[in-house]
Amino acid sequence: MTVKEYNRSVEEFADSVYRFIRSSLKDEDRANDIVQDSYEKLWRNIGEIEYPVAKSWLFSTAYHTMIDVIRKEKRITAMDEMDENNYFTDNQYSDLNEILHTALDRLPDHQKSSILLRDYEGYSYKEIGEITGMSESQVKINIYRGRVALKNFIGKIESVL
């Protein structure tokens, strides 16, 4: 593909790719970013891609980039967005089991399931990754963050007993 053909592909296909992604995401800014990323990838592969297949290549690349973005957003739990007040309590309880279940219910689903599979069921990090579809390092991070949140919610064990 030549530079002239690349510019022509921008003029002819950018709006269609944008509309396709925006209709799936319902977010104009993310759709713009994905289209821009797709054209950047096209530019990097300008020597290998011929103009007749550029349109299908762009749609395919944009779609896969969109799926990657959606998956990444599902996996990442921004600590800034989490309400830290949910993980602290001043109340004193005598039923440790009740406290633990209350604390577990406040965790995001991916952290809760990772902790339950590891601590209650005894699965290895690798097995948890296979069950949940996460990498082993993501499982470890989720378990660590979940345990920290549980510790902050429960507080010192002496205050609970």
Side-chain angles (χ1 to χ4, degrees):
M1 175 183 295
T2 65
V3 174
K4 186 176 181 178
E5 289 173 330
Y6 175 85
N7 290 334
R8 193 167 119 204
S9 74
V10 172
E11 292 170 7
E12 292 180 9
F13 310 134
D15 288 337
S16 327
V17 174
Y18 170 76
R19 284 193 309 272
F20 168 68
I21 297 299
R22 193 190 73 201
S23 67
S24 299
L25 289 179
K26 309 289 189 240
D27 184 344
E28 294 178 7
D29 293 332
R30 287 192 305 168
N32 277 326
D33 291 343
I34 290 169
V35 172
Q36 202 168 32
D37 289 346
S38 300
Y39 272 99
E40 179 185 351
K41 290 174 185 174
L42 178 63
W43 181 255
R44 281 190 258 132
N45 294 306
I46 199 167
E48 291 95 44
I49 299 168
E50 296 297 322
Y51 181 77
V53 297
K55 182 177 182 179
S56 62
W57 189 92
L58 281 165
F59 271 87
S60 177
T61 302
Y63 173 77
H64 290 294
T65 304
M66 177 184 68
I67 296 299
D68 290 344
V69 166
I70 291 170
R71 286 180 181 160
K72 182 178 178 183
E73 288 172 356
K74 283 184 180 178
R75 279 186 252 147
I76 295 175
T77 301
M79 295 303 286
D80 299 341
E81 295 175 7
M82 295 174 65
D83 184 12
E84 292 183 17
N85 295 328
N86 287 338
Y87 299 110
F88 296 100
T89 183
D90 294 331
N91 301 334
Q92 291 188 358
Y93 298 100
S94 59
D95 187 9
L96 188 57
N97 191 32
E98 179 185 334
I99 295 167
L100 185 57
H101 285 290
T102 302
L104 280 170
D105 289 339
R106 292 174 181 250
L107 292 177
D109 290 336
H110 58 278
Q111 290 177 1
K112 180 179 178 180
S113 61
S114 296
I115 287 175
L116 291 175
L117 288 170
R118 177 70 178 173
D119 295 337
Y120 285 102
E121 302 297 328
Y123 286 105
S124 69
Y125 295 122
K126 183 178 180 180
E127 291 170 325
I128 296 169
E130 291 170 0
I131 292 169
T132 60
M134 293 185 271
S135 70
E136 193 172 331
S137 61
Q138 289 172 322
V139 170
K140 290 178 183 179
I141 289 169
N142 285 328
I143 290 173
Y144 171 77
R145 288 179 180 166
R147 287 177 178 165
V148 168
L150 290 173
K151 180 181 172 187
N152 289 337
F153 179 79
I154 294 172
K156 292 185 180 179
I157 196 70
E158 295 85 20
S159 65
V160 173
L161 298 175

